[in-house]
Amino acid sequence: RQLAVPAYFEAARVGEVFRVDYQGLAAQAVADAAEHGITMSSSDQRRTCLVVIDAQNTFCVPGFELYVPGAVADTERLVRFLYRYLPYITEITLTLDTHMAMQIFHAQFWVGRDGAHPAPHTDITTADVASGLWRVNPAVARSLGRTTAFLERYVQHYVQSLEQEGKFALTIWPYHAMLGGIGHALVASLEEAVFYHGIARSARPDFAVKGSHPLTENYSALRPEVMVGPDGADIGAQRNTPFLEKLLQFDHVIIAGQAKSHCVAWTVGDLLAEIQTVDPRLARKVYLLEDCTSPVTVPGVVDFSKDADQAFRRFAEAGMHLVRSDQPLDTWPGLKLG
């Protein structure tokens, strides 16, 4: 069965920032749960986790730092999906990209020969570092409690590691998802739906914070891009093993969020790698909401659409399911309700 989308949901406000009325929502959720016979999530015989990746203002609201074209429509579809199938979603896990200014992918970390910082969307390669085109900002080294000499060795190791592993080049991103800032917050319409779900189903949402380590990118919610320094030095960057193990315990895992080419693709890729070491058949319990995610595109600058599509084809070939939010849940291959 499908529930009706609550009357308070305003589709026109999905791309806006607003205050969520928690008290009013809680009363509405309690009343609706009683009216529709919605049970506590702890009674679910088959457990389904909805994983929402980085559905934050910084990526999903027009005018914010790294708005992903298509994210407003993606979020509207995701919110409607959540409301319609709320009785079948046991838990919602939300990842939060979390940054501060002095990180390896922000301009402040680097200086050029003229003392200027790199522009947003600049790629820094092994050749760039080796030639001195870009070097570590000594002021950042002091702030991070590291020596400039260590960081100079580290960045050479870092960009080499990315290239050797076939990952994206180190990209200088606009300052975004800044901890404590409004860009870091969940999109309000989604926050509204998650809170409503939590009250209606007596289900506490889970949050996975990622991306705060200053010396590595962290596209995937399951592991940073680089975890060790030169000569195997421990930099304190670790896999999120508890999150990974938790996902594998659910009967079904549904994944959506932003951006398809980066944080979604890398998270799913790491999940698939773990699944293939444990039991490749587990891939069949993963469902990717293709119409609730979009790739990074900056007109005239970058377009990662092909990367995203290639990644999703690889996931499907491995056994994961590509689905849409407007497909009735009981038609999804292999998904069992109840």
Side-chain angles (χ1 to χ4, degrees):
R1 61 171 174 148
Q2 292 187 33
L3 298 181
V5 176
Y8 65 76
F9 171 64
E10 297 181 63
R13 301 194 71 190
V14 171
E16 299 178 7
V17 176
F18 59 86
R19 184 184 71 83
V20 174
D21 177 14
Y22 301 114
Q23 205 62 37
L25 267 181
Q28 184 72 56
V30 169
D32 290 348
E35 178 182 352
H36 298 292
I38 298 171
T39 59
M40 294 187 297
S41 64
S42 59
S43 67
D44 289 355
Q45 294 182 344
R46 295 188 180 277
R47 301 175 66 248
T48 297
C49 183
L50 173 62
V51 179
V52 182
I53 296 173
D54 299 359
Q56 298 160 267
N57 292 328
T58 200
F59 303 114
C60 299
V61 173
F64 273 73
E65 302 86 2
L66 273 177
Y67 174 65
V68 177
V72 172
D74 294 337
T75 304
E76 180 183 346
R77 287 187 286 263
L78 176 60
V79 169
R80 290 184 183 278
F81 173 84
L82 173 52
Y83 282 130
R84 290 200 305 267
Y85 295 111
L86 179 143
Y88 306 108
I89 297 172
T90 310
E91 181 180 303
I92 303 172
T93 294
L94 305 113
T95 73
L96 295 173
D97 211 27
T98 303
H99 302 318
M100 289 179 278
M102 294 184 183
Q103 295 195 249
I104 197 169
F105 46 80
H106 280 156
Q108 184 69 17
F109 194 94
W110 300 88
V111 290
R113 295 189 181 101
D114 59 357
H117 302 299
H121 304 292
T122 297
D123 284 345
I124 296 181
T125 67
T126 300
D128 294 335
V129 175
S131 69
L133 177 63
W134 297 112
R135 57 187 177 83
V136 174
N137 180 356
V140 167
R142 288 190 289 273
S143 176
L144 297 180
R146 303 277 188 169
T147 66
T148 302
F150 170 81
L151 287 183
E152 286 175 345
R153 287 196 305 121
Y154 177 79
V155 296
Q156 185 70 47
H157 159 81
Y158 186 86
V159 291
Q160 285 177 341
S161 297
L162 295 180
E163 291 177 11
Q164 289 169 358
E165 296 179 27
K167 297 187 175 184
F168 288 136
L170 170 61
T171 299
I172 301 303
W173 295 106
Y175 296 106
H176 67 286
M178 302 299 285
L179 181 61
I182 196 169
H184 184 257
L186 287 177
V187 177
S189 292
L190 176 64
E191 182 193 3
E192 195 174 52
V194 170
F195 182 83
Y196 177 91
H197 172 273
I199 299 296
R201 299 224 61 204
S202 297
R204 187 174 71 169
D206 192 16
F207 289 87
V209 175
K210 69 181 183 68
S212 59
H213 196 290
L215 298 183
T216 179
E217 299 152 289
N218 208 149
Y219 295 127
S220 169
L222 299 176
R223 56 158 287 172
E225 299 305 297
V226 175
M227 292 190 288
V228 296
D231 306 318
D234 182 10
I235 62 168
Q238 299 177 338
R239 296 187 347 152
N240 191 341
T241 302
F243 181 29
L244 180 59
E245 292 176 345
K246 185 184 82 166
L247 291 182
L248 294 179
Q249 293 171 4
F250 282 92
D251 296 297
H252 311 295
V253 176
I254 304 171
I255 301 176
Q258 303 303 335
K260 182 180 181 181
S261 53
H262 286 70
C263 296
V264 173
W266 289 109
T267 299
V268 176
D270 283 342
L271 177 59
L272 178 58
E274 182 68 16
I275 282 173
Q276 289 176 330
T277 64
V278 175
D279 181 353
R281 292 173 297 179
L282 294 176
R284 300 173 193 164
K285 69 177 182 179
V286 179
Y287 298 82
L288 307 179
L289 280 172
E290 272 206 297
D291 64 336
C292 298
T293 183
S294 294
V296 170
T297 57
V298 180
V301 181
V302 293
D303 186 344
F304 288 95
S305 300
K306 290 183 179 179
D307 299 89
D309 292 341
Q310 288 173 358
F312 270 51
R313 281 196 296 272
R314 178 167 65 87
F315 302 149
E317 289 167 0
M320 295 180 174
H321 305 285
L322 307 186
V323 293
R324 295 180 55 85
S325 63
D326 56 3
Q327 289 178 245
L329 210 59
D330 57 6
T331 68
W332 288 16
L335 189 139
K336 299 179 180 179
L337 304 177

